[in-house]
Amino acid sequence: MFELILLAPVAQVETLSEALDALDALSVSVEDADAQTAAEQALFGEPGMPPPKAGWERSRVVSLFSEEAGARDAAVVLAAQDFFAGCRLVAIQPVPEQDWVRLTQSQFAPVEITPEFWIVPSWHEPPAQAQQVIRLDPGLAFGTGTHPTTRMCLRWIASQGAAGKSLGRVLDYGCGSGILAIGAAKFGAATIDAVDIDEAAVQSTRANAEANHVTLNVGLPDKAEGSYQTVLANILATPLKVLAPLLCAHVAPGGALVLAGILERQADELKLAYAPYCQLQVADQEEGWILMTARL
């Protein structure tokens, strides 16, 4: 395998990517050319919504070819096009042979939620100070503990246990990997319903619950029934707004609603959407994301 690496201004990224696809690139990825520097730019988008930009002001466009000749031919063809103005060839280089399994595993080290509470992949030993551990390997479903939204939800769950507050009956709506539901079980929830619209997430949650020796009621959203003392939903702002009446209807009087997947700039939108049912407050924030909670 060979990489063709180009530097391009944002205006040329989409055209360049389409051209590389037409030139039989196996894949094309776009990265911030200024990543890990003071000039790095954060771009946030949501599924189903138009991307905020096609790329960064200085984008690194990396395409993969099966042979070096294909990469070099593509570079020659692109350099002759009018739209290549402002772009630059950075390199054509072989992709080194890797033990991809070991490389992937090395990217997932134990994740600290609190000093006593950790998410630990199966190939690692838990840290000595860990008193509570969730065993979780990366898979098809969202939620490995590496994303700020997941960490904030788990911190909230742990804080309830530390304060001696019972989570009671729990609903994890949009459970993904099941990590929040498993966390609730570890901190003493009475019963837990974990639901998701994605059958792959349902299967992933079942497998992860078994690996962690906890009991969850797992299924599609119609499995959520009645009232819960704790309702957790780590999704995204747009579906959370749509789900406001449904989620709030599931919260028992005096119960807690915990929402994540929300950017700091979206706080007022969520407060407005939930105003007919409860008063949402920002309870935590990390890396541009916030956790919002309410008592009903």
Side-chain angles (χ1 to χ4, degrees):
M1 296 288 183
F2 286 82
E3 286 180 331
L4 169 60
I5 304 173
L6 305 167
L7 189 66
V10 65
Q12 264 84 328
V13 166
E14 190 169 350
T15 302
L16 199 59
S17 298
E18 290 174 355
L20 285 162
D21 185 56
L23 290 166
D24 297 326
L26 300 175
S27 67
V28 180
S29 61
V30 183
E31 307 165 357
D32 185 356
D34 296 313
Q36 310 302 319
T37 73
E40 182 176 4
Q41 297 178 327
L43 294 182
F44 296 114
E46 294 194 34
M49 301 292 288
K53 288 184 179 180
W56 291 265
E57 293 304 324
R58 284 175 13 98
S59 291
R60 190 171 181 263
V61 181
V62 182
S63 53
L64 189 65
F65 289 84
S66 57
E67 297 179 353
E68 183 177 10
R72 295 198 176 280
D73 289 346
V76 171
V77 171
L78 290 172
Q81 309 305 312
D82 291 341
F83 62 74
F84 199 74
C87 302
R88 177 167 64 85
L89 172 64
V90 176
I92 296 173
Q93 61 191 28
V95 178
E97 290 294 327
Q98 298 267 17
D99 181 339
W100 294 107
V101 172
R102 189 176 297 276
L103 178 62
T104 300
Q105 290 181 345
S106 71
Q107 296 171 350
F108 290 90
V111 176
E112 179 181 349
I113 304 303
T114 72
E116 299 81 24
F117 179 27
W118 290 72
I119 313 301
V120 183
S122 60
W123 52 85
H124 282 283
E125 288 299 316
Q129 68 270 35
Q131 297 176 17
Q132 197 64 266
V133 170
I134 295 178
R135 285 290 192 177
L136 200 71
D137 295 343
L140 294 176
F142 174 82
T144 59
T146 59
H147 196 276
T149 60
T150 309
R151 291 197 298 271
M152 287 189 292
C153 287
L154 290 170
R155 276 203 299 267
W156 184 90
I157 290 169
S159 73
Q160 302 306 293
K165 297 177 182 178
S166 172
L167 296 168
R169 185 174 183 234
V170 173
L171 173 62
D172 180 2
Y173 199 96
C175 57
S177 68
I179 188 170
L180 302 187
I182 295 167
K186 295 281 187 178
F187 283 90
T191 60
I192 305 153
D193 291 346
V195 303
D196 203 291
I197 61 172
D198 185 354
E199 185 60 40
V202 170
Q203 297 302 323
S204 178
T205 295
R206 286 197 180 113
N208 289 329
E210 183 177 351
N212 283 277
H213 311 293
V214 300
T215 300
L216 307 177
N217 303 312
V218 188
L220 298 174
D222 59 5
K223 197 172 186 68
E225 293 181 339
S227 297
Y228 300 83
Q229 282 69 49
T230 305
V231 173
L232 307 163
N234 181 17
I235 313 176
L236 284 170
T238 298
L240 284 175
K241 288 189 287 186
V242 174
L243 289 167
L246 183 150
L247 294 175
C248 291
H250 278 305
V251 183
L257 177 66
V258 181
L259 306 178
I262 307 161
L263 296 169
E264 288 179 353
R265 59 178 171 79
Q266 296 169 324
D268 289 342
E269 297 174 41
L270 268 293
K271 287 181 180 179
L272 183 62
Y274 281 78
Y277 317 101
C278 63
Q279 289 188 313
L280 281 178
Q281 301 294 329
V282 176
D284 200 353
Q285 57 188 3
E286 184 178 342
E287 296 180 17
W289 298 89
I290 56 175
L291 181 79
M292 303 192 78
T293 62
R295 288 279 174 183
L296 274 72

